[in-house]
Amino acid sequence: MTKTLTITSPDDFHVHLRDDALMASVVPYTAKQFKRALVMPNLKVPITTVDQAIQYESRIKKSLKSDSRFQPLMTLYLTDKTSLDEIKKIPEHKQIVGIKYYPAGATTNSDSGVKNIDDRYDVFELMEKLDVPLLLHGEVVDPAIDIFDREKVFIDQHLLKLHKTFPNLRIVLEHITTKDAADFILSSSKKVAATITPQHLLLNRNHMFLGGINPHHYCLPVLKRETHRQALLNAVSSGSTKFFLGTDSAPHLKSTKENACGCAGIFSAASAIELYAAVFDELNELDKLEGFASFYGADFYGLERNKSSINLIKEDWVIPEKITVGDEVIIPLYAGRKISWRLTQSN
Ligand code: DOR
Ligand code: ZN
């Protein structure tokens, strides 16, 4: 008998939708799969003010079909110059749900990020007071630190102190990749949670080098060794409400990935919920998918749970080799590979 699964419509609590033509090409995928998505602010000109966030929200909405019920959730990009007055405006704007911290130079469009996290404790103190969540790209950027250790060193050097100093500040450690991060989340208070991407559940660092270097498996934080992937699988299998869905779907054109200096980022938006369903099925934990994908993120952010639902069917299909964007293409995660779950109806 065909296996089907109906769950409350999921939300993606970490996605890159970009802007302009690229945005127009990728938004429909996220809007089809998810009811809401938390949109990263690292545009070429980063979203650093409330006004910019509102304008960006309206550009995203304009790129949707007129009958779409998809709702973008907006974030601000923290810089060394972000003023306390700007932060104070956030609670008046329900669609702005958090502030994203990028260490300067850590990843795509992070040049305007924070140079020294200790210098923005004034902002964190105010965010704690206003109960505005802080979303962390949790890596150090010191070139002397091995790239595979950057998440752990960030936790040890910065996050423990930050959480201790501001125990009531809601913190999301984004796209966790290590056992160290999963353990930190489980051992800290309910104010701290984490998102987990499909690629970090499906792949380990060998996949970047299988049969030659594969730029389409390069993202930041970089894929880690198998023991860490297993720790993430244990984290989602535990059913802990502290782990929830955030794809970190990050579209880059094929030409900028297959390049002497290829960009970091993996595009998963077109088949994200199916990839997560396959992971949970493989773990024999399909009953935990709904909490992870549809409840825990909304609960953490203090948002209502979605009322609509989606249907998935257990049926083999092949993820497209490429997605066309104007004259260019994007290569999605698991391009050309067979996957066992398919979304049949959404929202
Ligand atoms: O791989 C990544 N890509 N990691 C990030 O933190 C940023 C993202 C992007 O914007 O492309
Ligand atoms: Zn991201």
Side-chain angles (χ1 to χ4, degrees), residues 14 16 18 42 100 102 107-109 137 175 218-221 248 250-252 264-266:
H14 184 131
H16 299 267
R18 313 300 192 208
N42 65 329
K100 180 72 189 278
Y102 286 104
T107 185
T108 309
N109 298 339
H137 183 109
H175 40 54
Y218 173 55
C219 64
L220 288 169
D248 198 15
H252 291 277
I266 295 181

mmCIF file of all heavy atoms in Angstrom, residues 14 16 18 42 100 102 107-109 137 175 218-221 248 250-252 264-266, ligand 1:
data_model
loop_
_atom_site.group_PDB
_atom_site.id
_atom_site.type_symbol
_atom_site.label_atom_id
_atom_site.label_comp_id
_atom_site.label_asym_id
_atom_site.label_seq_id
_atom_site.Cartn_x
_atom_site.Cartn_y
_atom_site.Cartn_z
ATOM 1 N N HIS A 14 15.340 29.443 8.138
ATOM 2 C CA HIS A 14 16.623 30.025 7.680
ATOM 3 C C HIS A 14 16.716 29.836 6.170
ATOM 4 O O HIS A 14 17.002 28.737 5.693
ATOM 5 C CB HIS A 14 17.805 29.324 8.370
ATOM 6 C CG HIS A 14 19.137 29.919 8.040
ATOM 7 N ND1 HIS A 14 20.067 30.237 9.007
ATOM 8 C CD2 HIS A 14 19.708 30.273 6.864
ATOM 9 C CE1 HIS A 14 21.144 30.752 8.441
ATOM 10 N NE2 HIS A 14 20.953 30.774 7.125
ATOM 11 N N HIS A 16 17.884 31.900 2.258
ATOM 12 C CA HIS A 16 18.401 33.051 1.511
ATOM 13 C C HIS A 16 17.560 33.191 0.243
ATOM 14 O O HIS A 16 17.571 32.289 -0.606
ATOM 15 C CB HIS A 16 19.872 32.833 1.145
ATOM 16 C CG HIS A 16 20.748 32.682 2.353
ATOM 17 N ND1 HIS A 16 21.397 33.752 2.927
ATOM 18 C CD2 HIS A 16 21.031 31.607 3.124
ATOM 19 C CE1 HIS A 16 22.070 33.330 4.001
ATOM 20 N NE2 HIS A 16 21.858 32.030 4.144
ATOM 21 N N ARG A 18 17.730 36.117 -1.665
ATOM 22 C CA ARG A 18 18.412 37.073 -2.552
ATOM 23 C C ARG A 18 17.471 38.203 -2.964
ATOM 24 O O ARG A 18 16.500 38.496 -2.294
ATOM 25 C CB ARG A 18 19.005 36.370 -3.791
ATOM 26 C CG ARG A 18 19.800 35.102 -3.502
ATOM 27 C CD ARG A 18 20.981 35.312 -2.600
ATOM 28 N NE ARG A 18 21.844 34.136 -2.595
ATOM 29 C CZ ARG A 18 22.621 33.790 -1.578
ATOM 30 N NH1 ARG A 18 22.641 34.506 -0.466
ATOM 31 N NH2 ARG A 18 23.382 32.725 -1.640
ATOM 32 N N ASN A 42 21.536 38.951 4.327
ATOM 33 C CA ASN A 42 22.868 39.193 3.735
ATOM 34 C C ASN A 42 22.796 39.412 2.227
ATOM 35 O O ASN A 42 23.391 38.689 1.435
ATOM 36 C CB ASN A 42 23.835 38.051 4.079
ATOM 37 C CG ASN A 42 23.423 36.715 3.472
ATOM 38 O OD1 ASN A 42 22.238 36.445 3.300
ATOM 39 N ND2 ASN A 42 24.395 35.882 3.131
ATOM 40 N N LYS A 100 20.397 39.080 12.816
ATOM 41 C CA LYS A 100 21.391 38.083 12.430
ATOM 42 C C LYS A 100 22.794 38.610 12.662
ATOM 43 O O LYS A 100 23.150 39.705 12.211
ATOM 44 C CB LYS A 100 21.193 37.726 10.942
ATOM 45 C CG LYS A 100 22.171 36.687 10.401
ATOM 46 C CD LYS A 100 21.902 35.290 10.929
ATOM 47 C CE LYS A 100 23.010 34.320 10.567
ATOM 48 N NZ LYS A 100 22.890 33.773 9.225
ATOM 49 N N TYR A 102 26.600 38.009 11.798
ATOM 50 C CA TYR A 102 27.647 37.371 10.992
ATOM 51 C C TYR A 102 28.987 37.901 11.478
ATOM 52 O O TYR A 102 29.163 39.130 11.563
ATOM 53 C CB TYR A 102 27.534 37.768 9.511
ATOM 54 C CG TYR A 102 26.408 37.122 8.753
ATOM 55 C CD1 TYR A 102 25.261 37.847 8.440
ATOM 56 C CD2 TYR A 102 26.496 35.807 8.314
ATOM 57 C CE1 TYR A 102 24.221 37.262 7.724
ATOM 58 C CE2 TYR A 102 25.461 35.220 7.598
ATOM 59 C CZ TYR A 102 24.340 35.952 7.309
ATOM 60 O OH TYR A 102 23.324 35.367 6.600
ATOM 61 N N THR A 107 31.464 34.524 5.640
ATOM 62 C CA THR A 107 30.738 33.816 4.586
ATOM 63 C C THR A 107 30.256 34.813 3.520
ATOM 64 O O THR A 107 30.691 35.968 3.515
ATOM 65 C CB THR A 107 29.573 33.008 5.216
ATOM 66 O OG1 THR A 107 28.947 32.220 4.207
ATOM 67 C CG2 THR A 107 28.535 33.909 5.866
ATOM 68 N N THR A 108 29.347 34.382 2.646
ATOM 69 C CA THR A 108 28.823 35.225 1.569
ATOM 70 C C THR A 108 28.262 36.542 2.119
ATOM 71 O O THR A 108 27.466 36.523 3.056
ATOM 72 C CB THR A 108 27.691 34.466 0.831
ATOM 73 O OG1 THR A 108 28.165 33.177 0.465
ATOM 74 C CG2 THR A 108 27.220 35.225 -0.393
ATOM 75 N N ASN A 109 28.660 37.649 1.515
ATOM 76 C CA ASN A 109 28.156 38.986 1.884
ATOM 77 C C ASN A 109 28.214 39.253 3.394
ATOM 78 O O ASN A 109 27.257 39.767 3.977
ATOM 79 C CB ASN A 109 26.711 39.186 1.400
ATOM 80 C CG ASN A 109 26.593 39.103 -0.108
ATOM 81 O OD1 ASN A 109 27.575 39.290 -0.820
ATOM 82 N ND2 ASN A 109 25.402 38.807 -0.599
ATOM 83 N N HIS A 137 25.447 33.188 13.170
ATOM 84 C CA HIS A 137 26.348 32.386 12.347
ATOM 85 C C HIS A 137 27.510 32.073 13.288
ATOM 86 O O HIS A 137 28.383 32.912 13.500
ATOM 87 C CB HIS A 137 26.815 33.139 11.101
ATOM 88 C CG HIS A 137 27.668 32.288 10.220
ATOM 89 N ND1 HIS A 137 27.258 31.796 9.005
ATOM 90 C CD2 HIS A 137 28.902 31.772 10.422
ATOM 91 C CE1 HIS A 137 28.202 31.031 8.487
ATOM 92 N NE2 HIS A 137 29.222 31.003 9.329
ATOM 93 N N HIS A 175 22.220 26.648 11.571
ATOM 94 C CA HIS A 175 22.846 25.566 10.782
ATOM 95 C C HIS A 175 23.961 24.852 11.546
ATOM 96 O O HIS A 175 25.115 24.882 11.126
ATOM 97 C CB HIS A 175 23.354 26.081 9.433
ATOM 98 C CG HIS A 175 24.007 27.448 9.442
ATOM 99 N ND1 HIS A 175 25.051 27.782 10.275
ATOM 100 C CD2 HIS A 175 23.747 28.566 8.721
ATOM 101 C CE1 HIS A 175 25.405 29.029 10.051
ATOM 102 N NE2 HIS A 175 24.629 29.528 9.120
ATOM 103 N N TYR A 218 29.719 22.410 -1.147
ATOM 104 C CA TYR A 218 30.436 23.371 -0.307
ATOM 105 C C TYR A 218 29.469 24.424 0.232
ATOM 106 O O TYR A 218 28.808 25.128 -0.522
ATOM 107 C CB TYR A 218 31.551 24.052 -1.111
ATOM 108 C CG TYR A 218 32.239 25.171 -0.373
ATOM 109 C CD1 TYR A 218 32.803 24.957 0.886
ATOM 110 C CD2 TYR A 218 32.321 26.443 -0.923
ATOM 111 C CE1 TYR A 218 33.423 25.988 1.576
ATOM 112 C CE2 TYR A 218 32.948 27.489 -0.250
ATOM 113 C CZ TYR A 218 33.488 27.249 1.006
ATOM 114 O OH TYR A 218 34.103 28.272 1.688
ATOM 115 N N CYS A 219 29.399 24.471 1.542
ATOM 116 C CA CYS A 219 28.617 25.515 2.205
ATOM 117 C C CYS A 219 29.362 25.880 3.480
ATOM 118 O O CYS A 219 30.353 25.248 3.841
ATOM 119 C CB CYS A 219 27.203 25.008 2.532
ATOM 120 S SG CYS A 219 27.179 23.647 3.716
ATOM 121 N N LEU A 220 28.887 26.898 4.154
ATOM 122 C CA LEU A 220 29.477 27.298 5.435
ATOM 123 C C LEU A 220 28.392 27.385 6.491
ATOM 124 O O LEU A 220 27.348 27.969 6.215
ATOM 125 C CB LEU A 220 30.195 28.650 5.290
ATOM 126 C CG LEU A 220 31.509 28.573 4.498
ATOM 127 C CD1 LEU A 220 32.011 29.965 4.162
ATOM 128 C CD2 LEU A 220 32.587 27.791 5.277
ATOM 129 N N PRO A 221 28.587 26.847 7.680
ATOM 130 C CA PRO A 221 29.739 26.047 8.079
ATOM 131 C C PRO A 221 29.885 24.807 7.190
ATOM 132 O O PRO A 221 28.899 24.178 6.806
ATOM 133 C CB PRO A 221 29.426 25.640 9.516
ATOM 134 C CG PRO A 221 28.388 26.601 9.990
ATOM 135 C CD PRO A 221 27.631 27.013 8.775
ATOM 136 N N ASP A 248 18.815 26.770 5.233
ATOM 137 C CA ASP A 248 19.971 27.534 4.751
ATOM 138 C C ASP A 248 20.099 27.402 3.240
ATOM 139 O O ASP A 248 21.211 27.441 2.703
ATOM 140 C CB ASP A 248 21.273 27.107 5.450
ATOM 141 C CG ASP A 248 22.358 28.160 5.286
ATOM 142 O OD1 ASP A 248 22.038 29.304 4.905
ATOM 143 O OD2 ASP A 248 23.534 27.831 5.524
ATOM 144 N N ALA A 250 20.715 28.344 -0.154
ATOM 145 C CA ALA A 250 21.503 29.538 -0.521
ATOM 146 C C ALA A 250 21.861 29.450 -1.995
ATOM 147 O O ALA A 250 22.871 28.852 -2.359
ATOM 148 C CB ALA A 250 22.756 29.604 0.347
ATOM 149 N N PRO A 251 21.006 30.025 -2.853
ATOM 150 C CA PRO A 251 21.236 29.869 -4.292
ATOM 151 C C PRO A 251 22.443 30.664 -4.794
ATOM 152 O O PRO A 251 22.610 31.842 -4.471
ATOM 153 C CB PRO A 251 19.940 30.415 -4.907
ATOM 154 C CG PRO A 251 19.367 31.338 -3.879
ATOM 155 C CD PRO A 251 19.788 30.802 -2.550
ATOM 156 N N HIS A 252 23.261 29.974 -5.567
ATOM 157 C CA HIS A 252 24.360 30.610 -6.310
ATOM 158 C C HIS A 252 24.310 30.040 -7.718
ATOM 159 O O HIS A 252 24.069 28.829 -7.890
ATOM 160 C CB HIS A 252 25.720 30.265 -5.692
ATOM 161 C CG HIS A 252 25.970 30.884 -4.356
ATOM 162 N ND1 HIS A 252 26.443 32.169 -4.204
ATOM 163 C CD2 HIS A 252 25.795 30.402 -3.109
ATOM 164 C CE1 HIS A 252 26.569 32.448 -2.907
ATOM 165 N NE2 HIS A 252 26.172 31.392 -2.215
ATOM 166 N N ALA A 264 30.210 29.727 -1.337
ATOM 167 C CA ALA A 264 29.642 28.796 -0.344
ATOM 168 C C ALA A 264 28.125 28.890 -0.380
ATOM 169 O O ALA A 264 27.572 29.998 -0.367
ATOM 170 C CB ALA A 264 30.149 29.156 1.043
ATOM 171 N N GLY A 265 27.460 27.752 -0.389
ATOM 172 C CA GLY A 265 25.999 27.775 -0.328
ATOM 173 C C GLY A 265 25.420 26.635 -1.134
ATOM 174 O O GLY A 265 25.922 26.300 -2.211
ATOM 175 N N ILE A 266 24.382 26.004 -0.583
ATOM 176 C CA ILE A 266 23.723 24.864 -1.237
ATOM 177 C C ILE A 266 22.248 25.196 -1.386
ATOM 178 O O ILE A 266 21.598 25.616 -0.427
ATOM 179 C CB ILE A 266 23.928 23.580 -0.399
ATOM 180 C CG1 ILE A 266 25.421 23.220 -0.361
ATOM 181 C CG2 ILE A 266 23.079 22.436 -0.952
ATOM 182 C CD1 ILE A 266 25.761 21.954 0.416
HETATM 183 O O1 DOR B 1 26.984 28.405 2.725
HETATM 184 C C1 DOR B 1 26.513 29.476 3.061
HETATM 185 N N1 DOR B 1 25.916 30.295 2.161
HETATM 186 N N2 DOR B 1 26.616 29.871 4.327
HETATM 187 C C2 DOR B 1 26.253 31.107 4.727
HETATM 188 O O2 DOR B 1 26.396 31.401 5.885
HETATM 189 C C3 DOR B 1 25.764 32.085 3.740
HETATM 190 C C4 DOR B 1 25.185 31.436 2.571
HETATM 191 C C5 DOR B 1 24.948 32.375 1.403
HETATM 192 O O3 DOR B 1 24.414 33.465 1.625
HETATM 193 O O4 DOR B 1 25.274 32.010 0.284
#
